[in-house]
Each structure stands twice: as C-alpha cells, then as structure tokens.
Amino acid sequence: MSSHNFATLRYTALRIGLFVASFAVVWALAYFHVIPLAIGASNTVWMLLLAIVISAPLSFVLLRKQRDAMSEQIVAKVDRQRERLMANAGQEDGLK
C-alpha cells in the first residue's frame, strides 16, 4: 500500500499530536506561572482554548504536505464515486 492510502489518518494523527504538544506547552507555562491561571475550575477550559488557538495556525503551516496528500486522496475518491454514479445513471436511462 502506498503512503497516500492513509493520508487522512496520518493528517488527523499529526493534527491531534500537535494539539497535545501545544496543550503540554500551555500547561507547563501555566504551571510555572509564565501565563496567568484562570479563576477556579475554568483553568482547564482556558488552557484547552489556548492550545487550540496555538495549534491551528501551526498545523496550517507545518502540515501542508499531509493536508495536500489528504486532499488528493479525497478528490480521487469523490471522482470515482461520481464516475460510478454517472455509469449507473446511464444504465438506468438505457432501461427506460
């Protein structure tokens, strides 16, 4: 199997990994009081939101190749489905 067969899985795993790494950095910064802690129980929500804000642009830049490979995989599948649908529609028109 080629590496393009698992492009979506690879991109998703890398995206989750980047989020986890961002969360770990945010947690460490909050633990050492480099960034302020939120009030009460909202600390976890604050750190999750900050990790999302950090990981989103990083994934846009760092995971470009994986995103392009995933896009090619999805486009190929959609094209195959479209061809099958057109072939089936042609067969149905021939029966009428």
Side-chain angles (χ1 to χ4, degrees):
M1 294 189 155
S2 72
S3 63
H4 288 285
N5 290 340
F6 299 106
T8 302
L9 182 63
R10 181 180 299 113
Y11 176 75
T12 303
L14 288 172
R15 183 84 190 260
I16 290 170
L18 193 57
F19 170 74
V20 169
S22 297
F23 182 76
V25 168
V26 168
W27 181 83
L29 291 175
Y31 181 79
F32 292 114
H33 300 290
V34 175
I35 59 174
L37 295 174
I39 298 171
S42 67
N43 187 33
T44 304
V45 175
W46 150 252
M47 290 192 301
L48 286 171
L49 290 174
L50 189 56
I52 289 170
V53 168
I54 291 170
S55 68
L58 286 176
S59 69
F60 183 74
V61 173
L62 297 175
L63 302 179
R64 183 169 308 220
K65 289 181 185 179
Q66 289 81 10
R67 190 174 52 253
D68 289 343
M70 180 182 68
S71 176
E72 289 174 10
Q73 179 185 16
I74 291 171
V75 167
K77 286 183 180 181
V78 168
D79 287 344
R80 282 194 307 266
Q81 288 295 97
R82 186 175 292 137
E83 289 172 4
R84 287 183 194 152
L85 184 62
M86 297 294 273
N88 287 341
Q91 288 176 353
E92 289 176 4
D93 290 342
L95 293 175
K96 291 183 180 184

